[in-house]
Amino acid sequence: MIKLPFIIPEQDLNLKMGTLLTILDCLSFTKRKKPILTLDKISIYDFLVKHPFVLHEMTKLDQSVPYFLLKDYEKGSIQTKFINKKNLFDYSSTRKTLQILLVYQFVDILTEKNEIYYVITENGREFIEEIDADYLLRIRELCDVIVPITSIAPSKIKLLINPILGV
């Protein structure tokens, strides 16, 4: 009998790299080309694209979040009932993934006003454009929903998320 590996999507490095690159590709800069993605914002946006149910509930609490439709597999699943809140508060996994992306030169670091920002490089953009996966296309759609809240401070976004999570 052949034993198949059990893959936990949140722990799959390739999936995490693809997810973060997609977020960086869509949300690295404002319309005025100012970098906006700090480690805490990347972690929050990563949490929201992995849990679209939470993002959907935010549309009911804040008018700045545009309404969108959930896919059938995004509602009523175990993942929506028992949300892993760890990544919302612990940035170590995101930090490690960003370090790997830095080594591959898919991501660069910019420093402005004593703040560290992560931005996608041309190598990262070329790499992510080569990947054709429905999951990453959905993340891109969810990033479009996140765009209006990129100007909101991470602490305020967490205040919107906490009642949804029951924290």
Side-chain angles (χ1 to χ4, degrees):
M1 175 186 246
I2 298 173
K3 293 186 179 185
L4 296 174
F6 182 75
I7 297 172
I8 301 171
E10 289 182 355
Q11 296 177 354
D12 183 62
L13 181 60
N14 294 324
L15 188 61
K16 287 184 345 187
M17 288 173 55
T19 301
L20 288 187
L21 278 175
T22 303
I23 291 169
L24 286 159
D25 189 33
C26 296
L27 303 173
S28 281
F29 298 99
T30 64
K31 290 178 184 174
R32 296 180 182 163
K33 300 298 179 195
K34 287 189 162 200
I36 57 171
L37 289 180
T38 58
L39 179 61
D40 50 350
K41 280 191 172 186
I42 293 170
S43 295
I44 290 169
Y45 301 154
D46 182 42
F47 177 84
L48 290 174
V49 298
K50 286 180 181 172
H51 302 94
F53 173 77
V54 175
L55 184 59
H56 187 264
E57 290 298 308
M58 284 176 63
T59 64
K60 299 173 186 173
L61 300 175
D62 188 344
Q63 299 298 325
S64 65
V65 183
Y67 183 79
F68 69 99
L69 295 175
L70 288 171
K71 304 281 185 184
D72 288 338
Y73 60 85
E74 294 171 338
K75 47 188 169 183
S77 68
I78 298 273
Q79 200 171 17
T80 60
K81 303 278 188 229
F82 304 101
I83 296 172
N84 182 0
K85 303 168 194 134
K86 179 185 173 206
N87 291 346
L88 191 57
F89 304 103
D90 179 15
Y91 304 152
S92 60
S93 173
T94 303
R95 185 179 290 117
K96 288 176 187 174
T97 307
L98 285 169
Q99 288 172 344
I100 293 168
L101 293 172
L102 281 163
V103 168
Y104 284 107
Q105 298 178 343
F106 291 155
V107 173
D108 200 7
I109 294 176
L110 299 178
T111 308
E112 287 187 16
K113 300 178 186 175
N114 295 327
E115 192 76 45
I116 296 173
Y117 298 98
Y118 295 89
V119 296
I120 193 165
T121 63
E122 195 56 41
N123 286 345
R125 190 164 278 122
E126 289 172 7
F127 180 79
I128 200 67
E129 286 174 0
E130 292 293 320
I131 299 174
D132 184 29
D134 290 339
Y135 180 73
L136 294 181
L137 291 174
R138 178 61 176 167
I139 289 176
R140 192 169 291 281
E141 291 172 2
L142 294 172
C143 284
D144 291 341
V145 174
I146 292 172
V147 167
I149 63 170
T150 56
S151 60
I152 300 174
S155 58
K156 290 186 180 180
I157 296 173
K158 285 183 182 179
L159 286 175
L160 285 171
I161 293 172
N162 285 341
I164 298 166
L165 300 178
V167 176

